[in-house]
Amino acid sequence: MKKIPSVTKAKNIQSVRGMHDILPVDYPLWEKATKSFREVIEFYNFTQMATPVLESVELYVRTLGETSDVVEKEMYTIKTKGGDQLAMRPEGTAGVARAYIEHGMSHQPHPVRLAYFGPFFRHDKPQAGRLRQFHQAGFEIFSSENDPLYDAQTMLAAYRFIEGLKIKGVTAHINTIGCRICRPNYRKALVAYYKPLEKKLCGDCRRRLPVNPMRLLDCKVPTCQPFKEQAPTTLDHLCAICKTHFTELLEYLEDVKLPYSLNHFLVRGLDYYTKTVFEFILDPVAGEEDLAFALGGGGRYDYLVETLGGKPTPAVGAALGIERLLEVMKRRNLNVPARTKERVFLIHIGDLAKKKSLSLIEMLREGGVNVIESLGKESMAAQLRNADKYQVPFALIFGQKEAYEESVIIRDMKTGAQETVPLLKLVAAIKKRFTSQ
Ligand code: HAM
């Protein structure tokens, strides 16, 4: 059995590097994100599903590609006691495609539209917008036809999700990387272009040139940038089918007024893509230079299902990075207004009232009145201070006398006016006050 490291008492235990707590103060933003996600999936007819956090390593090696950064450098892998090699899911598309095949979804009426929301893991260098545990909201469409309409619809769903968070000034950077027919020619053209420059390239680019030359366009090393400018673009090497697909997609995007910008260098770092690739990026604004990351990305992956042993199934999808979106919301003060839900604060005084308070709260719950309390506190002043903190419009004061008489005092927190109401009429009296506020 593996030895568990011995306990050191001295140090406080902190969260693991790159993994964050979601604190109560941020939860309203998360709720906003899940609400926007729900609205989008309902409108565009996606059904939500979830895949396990642990999948076989092979799933990602086969689909994302051995030379992708995610597989090469960023996967959290685990060897089980039984000897299986597992990975903590670094992304959602491969798992959803595996589930699509495994559960016979190819027999369902198509398109099959699936959505997911959950945590993903990449052992990357933590920095602004880059975490080791992050969350994605994803949309995948498996169709029986290879129709650019679905590319447009996936992009729309992702874009509407961002819009639902009130984030403005977002553009879809878009490119096409061709298919099995035309991509080999493009790769050859890239190799021919880069080969004479090989000595000047960074180590990663030199290594990738013979195996995955398109990744050179994705390189962020400053000394490699000037070579990209002159590199051949996919557009000059597309087959007729890919060209038409791309043109039609751009027409759809124009019809629905989804802002896009052509970016010939966009290739995306995952091997499963074919034809369309895109990323959603904030338009540059002074003071937001550190938010220049992709808020989401995606593309078409027509061969992925086949790669996993399913029958050929054209598909397209997108995923959005929730933490990145929330970072933009916070920076732009797009904070969700404080809870406006109508709530009352229950203040008890004395043992008898305290004893009866729990059943009083249940009575209010049944009547549909939301209650906050700090029943553990005995002093009325401390309870009133809490009521103030929660900014409730009304407090309920439940003392010894009221407990005997089966009544409660309703106190208007703004005016200080108080009125005693019998318990039996309490729910109606509170509701009346809320409606006439
Ligand atoms: P991806 O571009 O690797 O694509 O990730 C999608 C989004 O997840 C990114 O645009 C970013 O917002 C967020 N993200 C990725 N890595 C991190 C990180 N380390 N920290 C914080 N946020 C991050 C995919 O994962 C594809 N599965 C998308 C897709 C769906 N393609 C087709 N369908």
Side-chain angles (χ1 to χ4, degrees):
M1 215 175 82
K2 256 196 190 160
K3 208 170 161 242
I4 294 174
S6 58
V7 177
T8 53
K9 288 205 178 123
K11 261 204 303 186
N12 284 344
I13 297 173
Q14 308 246 313
S15 61
V16 175
R17 197 161 123 81
M19 312 219 170
H20 291 268
D21 299 310
I22 304 171
L23 296 174
V25 66
D26 287 332
Y27 239 88
L29 293 178
W30 282 83
E31 279 174 3
K32 177 86 191 135
T34 44
K35 186 167 167 260
S36 181
F37 174 68
R38 280 233 69 80
E39 282 167 4
V40 167
I41 66 174
E42 268 163 33
F43 185 81
Y44 292 101
N45 288 310
F46 285 85
T47 42
Q48 191 169 352
M49 67 170 293
T51 57
V53 165
L54 289 177
E55 296 268 8
S56 71
V57 165
E58 198 193 336
L59 173 69
Y60 301 111
V61 176
R62 255 211 247 174
T63 57
L64 314 187
E66 250 171 312
T67 56
S68 64
D69 278 348
V70 174
V71 168
E72 247 183 7
K73 307 176 187 164
E74 298 169 4
M75 263 198 318
Y76 281 91
T77 53
I78 296 165
K79 192 170 174 196
T80 64
K81 285 177 187 164
D84 294 333
Q85 293 280 359
L86 305 182
M88 286 171 80
R89 57 181 194 183
E91 63 94 56
T93 311
V96 169
R98 186 228 5 98
Y100 169 89
I101 302 166
E102 190 171 331
H103 301 288
M105 290 189 226
S106 62
H107 303 299
Q108 292 177 8
H110 278 59
V112 172
R113 298 167 206 258
L114 303 170
Y116 50 91
F117 190 112
F120 293 87
F121 305 85
R122 294 185 192 174
H123 193 269
D124 204 348
K125 208 167 151 205
Q127 51 186 277
R130 187 160 300 168
L131 304 167
R132 289 182 173 172
Q133 176 177 333
F134 57 97
H135 292 71
Q136 283 187 351
F139 310 95
E140 315 288 353
I141 303 182
F142 299 85
S143 59
S144 33
E145 346 35 51
N146 185 328
D147 193 324
L149 182 117
Y150 295 125
D151 306 43
Q153 211 173 37
T154 314
M155 292 178 74
L156 255 183
Y159 187 70
R160 296 283 180 246
F161 175 64
I162 300 174
E163 267 190 342
L165 301 176
K166 306 275 182 286
I167 297 176
K168 296 203 165 70
V170 175
T171 296
H173 292 233
I174 186 168
N175 193 19
T176 173
I177 55 171
C179 66
R180 270 178 191 155
I181 316 260
C182 52
R183 206 186 303 172
N185 289 335
Y186 179 54
R187 288 164 61 116
K188 264 190 216 148
L190 274 176
V191 174
Y193 167 77
Y194 272 110
K195 200 77 189 148
L197 303 167
E198 205 171 357
K199 286 204 179 102
K200 299 178 185 158
L201 298 175
C202 73
D204 267 351
C205 282
R206 270 201 304 261
R207 199 167 39 80
R208 282 174 175 152
L209 184 57
V211 271
N212 200 343
M214 279 168 65
R215 292 296 314 285
L216 272 66
L217 299 176
D218 206 21
C219 176
K220 303 284 183 292
V221 174
T223 49
C224 291
Q225 301 311 303
F227 309 128
K228 282 186 0 187
E229 304 295 329
Q230 305 299 322
T233 67
T234 42
L235 281 184
D236 297 330
H237 295 83
L238 292 179
C239 62
I241 292 175
C242 285
K243 223 176 238 170
T244 312
H245 188 97
F246 197 51
T247 313
E248 284 179 13
L249 167 59
L250 298 185
E251 282 167 9
Y252 280 126
L253 297 182
E254 270 155 37
D255 284 348
V256 294
K257 298 193 173 51
L258 196 156
Y260 70 83
S261 152
L262 298 182
N263 178 349
H264 302 313
F265 304 127
L266 186 71
V267 287
R268 311 262 303 137
L270 312 170
D271 275 7
Y272 53 60
Y273 290 115
T274 46
K275 295 194 172 111
T276 317
V277 287
F278 55 84
E279 279 179 357
F280 291 98
I281 300 177
L282 285 181
D283 301 336
V285 172
E288 289 190 347
E289 291 77 7
D290 58 326
L291 300 178
F293 39 57
L295 299 173
R300 182 161 274 287
Y301 49 94
D302 291 343
Y303 311 133
L304 178 60
V305 174
E306 238 180 290
T307 309
L308 291 174
K311 58 181 188 193
T313 310
V316 57
L320 294 138
I322 303 300
E323 283 82 356
R324 292 187 183 182
L325 292 165
L326 298 199
E327 187 55 37
V328 177
M329 288 171 78
K330 280 196 215 167
R331 187 71 71 77
R332 293 188 177 177
N333 281 324
L334 301 175
N335 293 342
V336 180
R339 265 168 78 136
T340 50
K341 222 167 161 190
E342 294 168 336
R343 295 184 295 180
V344 294
F345 195 100
L346 174 66
I347 294 168
H348 72 283
I349 309 155
D351 286 348
L352 183 64
K354 183 175 179 180
K355 225 166 157 209
K356 289 191 167 182
S357 286
L358 221 50
S359 53
L360 171 57
I361 291 170
E362 291 309 296
M363 187 191 91
L364 292 166
R365 187 187 63 79
E366 272 167 36
V369 175
N370 293 295
V371 198
I372 328 173
E373 38 67 28
S374 45
L375 288 181
K377 292 205 187 310
E378 301 300 336
S379 117
M380 176 160 172
Q383 294 181 70
L384 265 173
R385 271 199 303 278
N386 270 357
D388 266 340
K389 247 187 251 160
Y390 284 105
Q391 296 181 331
V392 290
F394 304 106
L396 305 181
I397 302 174
F398 193 41
Q400 200 80 345
K401 179 165 172 275
E402 288 75 27
Y404 271 122
E405 289 176 356
E406 307 241 305
S407 66
V408 171
I409 299 169
I410 304 181
R411 178 187 172 95
D412 187 317
M413 294 296 283
K414 236 190 242 149
T415 63
Q418 299 195 163
E419 189 192 345
T420 303
V421 177
L423 276 186
L424 283 175
K425 295 190 176 161
L426 181 61
V427 168
I430 295 170
K431 286 191 168 167
K432 195 168 156 209
R433 277 172 173 73
F434 275 130
T435 44
S436 58
Q437 250 193 336

